[in-house]
Amino acid sequence: MGEDLASESDLLSMINEYLRFAEFEETARVFEKELKRKGKPALRSAGHSRRDSSAIDDFLSSFNDGDYKVFSELWAKNIPPEIRDFDPVAQKLEFYLQIHFTIYPLKFPVGSHDKGELESRITHFKHYLETRGAALSQTTEFLPFYALPFVPNPTVHPSFQELFQDSWMPELREKLEKFLSVILKASNTPRLLTLYVSFLSIQQMQLHLTEAERKSAIHMRRFAKLQADHHSLIGVTAELVDSLEATVRGKMISPEYLQGVCMRLFSGHMRQSAAQSVDFTRPGTASSMLRASVAPERPKEVPLLPSLDYEKLKKDLVNGSDQLKALLLQALRWRLTRSLHGEQRDTVLQAFISNDVLERYSSKQKTVLHLMKSKNEIVRQYMSRLINAFASLCGGRMYLSQMPSLLRFLLDCLKTEEKESVTRENVLGALQKLSLRRAQQSAMIRDGLIGWLVKELHDSDCLSDYTLEYAISLLMNLCLRTQGNRYTSMEEILRCYSKEENPELNRQIEFIIKQLNSADIPEHEPESDDEEDDDDDDEEDVMEADLDKEEVLQPQPKELSGESLLTTEYLGIMTNMVKMKRRSYPPSTRSIDEPLQRPVTPSSHKNTM
């Protein structure tokens, strides 16, 4: 009887708890009055509200006082482990809170013990970065802060200026208060609601279990059939061996016997009527069918794309409307990115180069290349996309490197376009790929590109992942040159981008820093090395999927685009082009632990087309 009353009390308490949680205050009061009138067991109070309020006050008090020890205890006690360890919002907030407590003595000095206290907090922060904070080392937003423990005076460092502004601490406190009010309320979810959610989860799991059992039954039937086929095959093989032995002893095999054996062999894979209609006694029939059943499919021949009237096409690229220019640039890029890797793409690129589609050899004052300076933003964007696609291929980089004005156009665009425009991303990608060639490296260094990159990376929080990845890679490529490593103020910046979970990248950064600090730097680097030892020949052609992302150009009704536009309006005379011989690449002999000592392109690790 006592257990029944306790169960009833728990159930009634859960109902009342849910009504209070959902703010059905009037309903809850009526419910409690009726329980008393009927003499039901007393309700058990959860008492969450006062506890929540007190916990939040304690959190905020330790935050204001910079008491990270008390705060850490509260965090571990009140924030559920599944939220602390797996919720992205909680992880990011904890990271900034760790920064707050680390720099607190720098903001609020109180005595002579500040230095020792600061060192203790920096040690604590280092430990955090190596343990719980390691999960965020791949996130662009937090990369600069991994250098915080190694900077002598963070208060004057440009990467950490925001931390010491008057508004930073109040904003962080507000985020903390909102987070706690949500999480502590969620952690006190009414038991009735928890039970209901659990019930739904069980129902969902039962559905998944039923589906898994259905699929398992299908696979079991397939397995049973495979097993039966295997046993049948073993039996047929044994009979054929017996027949072969009998033949050796001079005993003849009848055609009817051979027909029966072969029908057994193929009965599981052919209709009975079809198996009976095949004359297995004819020499070679059974063996031919067996070989055909396991023969690999012949690869399909890849058709070459139609030739184009490139003179008409280039004329319209220079003199056509902005809409037509953008559509043509898009169609040409799609020919490169959507062609099949191998002979088809090689043929497309060779046709573009042999017909000088970017007018490298034109003596006209206004050429296709001048579209990089178009007043129309979409035209500039689609021109930069096409150049980036060219730069993704070794032959394309060689073609682009023969254009003296191209590098100047790209650098001007890099400095004038909006910070996170698609145009600037593609220009940066093209420059990084061109930096695989030594002459282009030297020109970029002379034009001050290293300084521009360093300045951009100081504000890395505002950069997209694509921009950050290609900017760092371009900086690495330029630093590998003697001219580049004279820029010796970059060591601190480079260390900001070390990632604990990416040892390959760390090896490259350490190698670059070693190059920067080398004592054997010659005073004058010979310019002749620009003409030899290009690292481009060892770089594999990669066409990354980002080249066609976020297409903003849409054709008007009944307006042609893509391959339809090219083959309808610009179809040329078909010619038999000489098939290009694919370059063979010797296997790399570099040790896995040896730092990469040549420029690299990050796209070799990305999704490709």
Side-chain angles (χ1 to χ4, degrees), residues 108 135 150 173 205 232 378 431 451 503 549 598:
F108 304 100
F150 308 100
R173 187 184 189 278
M205 288 193 308
S232 176
I378 295 180
L431 286 170
K549 74 173 185 178
R598 65 178 182 83

Side-chain angles (χ1 to χ4, degrees), residues 33-248:
K33 288 180 180 179
E34 189 166 359
L35 290 177
K36 290 180 180 179
R37 191 176 71 250
K38 292 186 175 182
K40 294 296 180 180
L43 299 176
R44 301 180 181 182
S45 175
H48 293 324
S49 300
R50 285 194 298 274
R51 188 167 71 245
D52 293 352
S53 177
S54 175
I56 292 176
D57 290 343
D58 292 341
F59 268 112
L60 297 179
S61 177
S62 58
F63 175 88
N64 294 334
D65 297 339
D67 193 338
Y68 72 93
K69 293 181 181 179
V70 172
F71 190 93
S72 299
E73 292 175 359
L74 290 169
W75 188 265
K77 178 182 176 182
N78 292 277
I79 309 301
E82 62 273 15
I83 294 177
R84 289 201 311 266
D85 298 335
F86 302 106
D87 182 71
V89 175
Q91 289 177 324
K92 291 183 178 182
L93 179 62
E94 184 181 6
F95 194 101
Y96 282 117
L97 289 168
Q98 292 287 344
I99 294 175
H100 162 71
F101 289 115
T102 301
I103 64 175
Y104 190 87
L106 295 174
K107 289 185 170 184
F108 304 100
V110 294
S112 59
H113 300 293
D114 286 343
K115 185 175 181 181
E117 177 66 17
L118 179 61
E119 291 176 353
S120 173
R121 293 182 182 231
I122 288 177
T123 301
H124 177 80
F125 186 54
K126 284 182 181 178
H127 177 71
Y128 166 77
L129 294 178
E130 293 168 357
T131 53
R132 293 182 58 78
L136 296 174
S137 62
Q138 304 297 316
T139 307
T140 303
E141 178 182 352
F142 299 104
L143 280 176
F145 301 117
Y146 284 80
L148 179 61
F150 308 100
V151 176
N153 189 0
T155 59
V156 297
H157 196 284
S159 296
F160 310 125
Q161 288 179 350
E162 180 187 2
L163 304 180
F164 295 93
Q165 293 179 358
D166 294 339
S167 60
W168 188 80
M169 183 174 166
E171 289 174 357
L172 180 61
R173 187 184 189 278
E174 184 179 353
K175 290 179 181 178
L176 172 64
E177 192 168 5
K178 288 181 179 178
F179 173 81
L180 293 173
S181 63
V182 172
I183 294 301
L184 294 182
K185 183 177 181 181
S187 65
N188 294 316
T189 301
R191 290 170 290 169
L192 186 62
L193 184 58
T194 303
L195 287 174
Y196 177 70
V197 172
S198 300
F199 172 72
L200 292 179
S201 300
I202 292 172
Q203 280 190 321
Q204 192 68 25
M205 288 193 308
Q206 286 177 334
L207 291 175
H208 289 313
L209 179 60
T210 302
E211 179 66 13
E213 289 174 344
R214 185 185 68 81
K215 291 182 178 179
S216 176
I218 293 173
H219 292 308
M220 286 299 294
R221 288 195 295 271
R222 290 176 180 173
F223 172 74
K225 186 177 184 306
L226 285 173
Q227 194 174 43
D229 288 345
H230 173 71
H231 292 161
S232 176
L233 183 60
I234 294 297
V236 170
T237 303
E239 288 192 32
L240 292 176
V241 170
D242 291 341
S243 301
L244 186 60
E245 290 176 349
T247 304
V248 172

Side-chain angles (χ1 to χ4, degrees), residues 251-417:
K251 185 178 180 181
M252 296 297 293
I253 302 298
S254 68
E256 292 77 15
Y257 173 79
L258 181 61
Q259 179 83 6
V261 170
C262 291
M263 284 185 62
R264 286 172 56 199
L265 186 62
F266 290 102
S267 62
H269 305 281
M270 298 175 62
R271 293 194 304 272
Q272 189 70 20
S273 58
Q276 291 175 347
S277 65
V278 177
D279 183 8
F280 290 110
T281 62
R282 190 174 59 189
T285 300
S287 60
S288 297
M289 292 181 67
L290 282 173
R291 292 188 181 96
S293 67
V294 296
E297 293 185 6
R298 295 181 60 184
K300 298 179 181 179
E301 291 191 5
V302 178
L304 299 181
L305 295 174
S307 296
L308 303 176
D309 183 348
Y310 285 96
E311 292 307 315
K312 179 184 177 183
L313 192 150
K314 288 187 285 186
K315 181 179 179 182
D316 285 352
L317 276 172
V318 173
N319 300 318
S321 66
D322 286 339
Q323 176 75 358
L324 179 59
K325 291 175 184 177
L327 286 170
L328 288 174
L329 291 170
Q330 182 188 58
L332 291 173
R333 168 168 50 87
W334 282 354
R335 267 218 166 189
L336 276 177
T337 61
R338 298 183 178 184
S339 57
L340 299 177
H341 178 72
E343 182 181 343
Q344 190 181 68
R345 182 171 290 165
D346 291 342
T347 306
V348 170
L349 179 64
Q350 184 61 31
F352 284 1
I353 295 174
S354 61
N355 289 281
D356 192 20
V357 72
L358 298 182
E359 297 192 309
R360 150 72 178 90
Y361 300 102
S362 174
S363 58
K364 296 185 296 185
Q365 186 175 1
K366 189 177 181 182
T367 67
V368 173
L369 199 57
H370 284 78
L371 294 179
M372 281 302 302
K373 292 184 172 293
S374 171
K375 294 181 180 179
N376 186 285
E377 193 277 331
I378 295 180
V379 172
R380 293 197 309 275
Q381 179 190 135
Y382 278 67
M383 184 64 187
S384 68
R385 286 176 184 256
L386 179 60
I387 291 175
N388 195 8
F390 264 97
S392 300
L393 306 173
C394 182
R397 290 190 289 273
M398 185 178 296
Y399 175 56
L400 294 176
S401 67
Q402 298 168 0
M403 303 179 186
S405 58
L406 174 65
L407 199 58
R408 187 181 72 253
F409 284 175
L410 294 180
L411 292 175
D412 288 346
C413 181
L414 197 64
K415 297 170 183 177
T416 58
E417 286 289 333

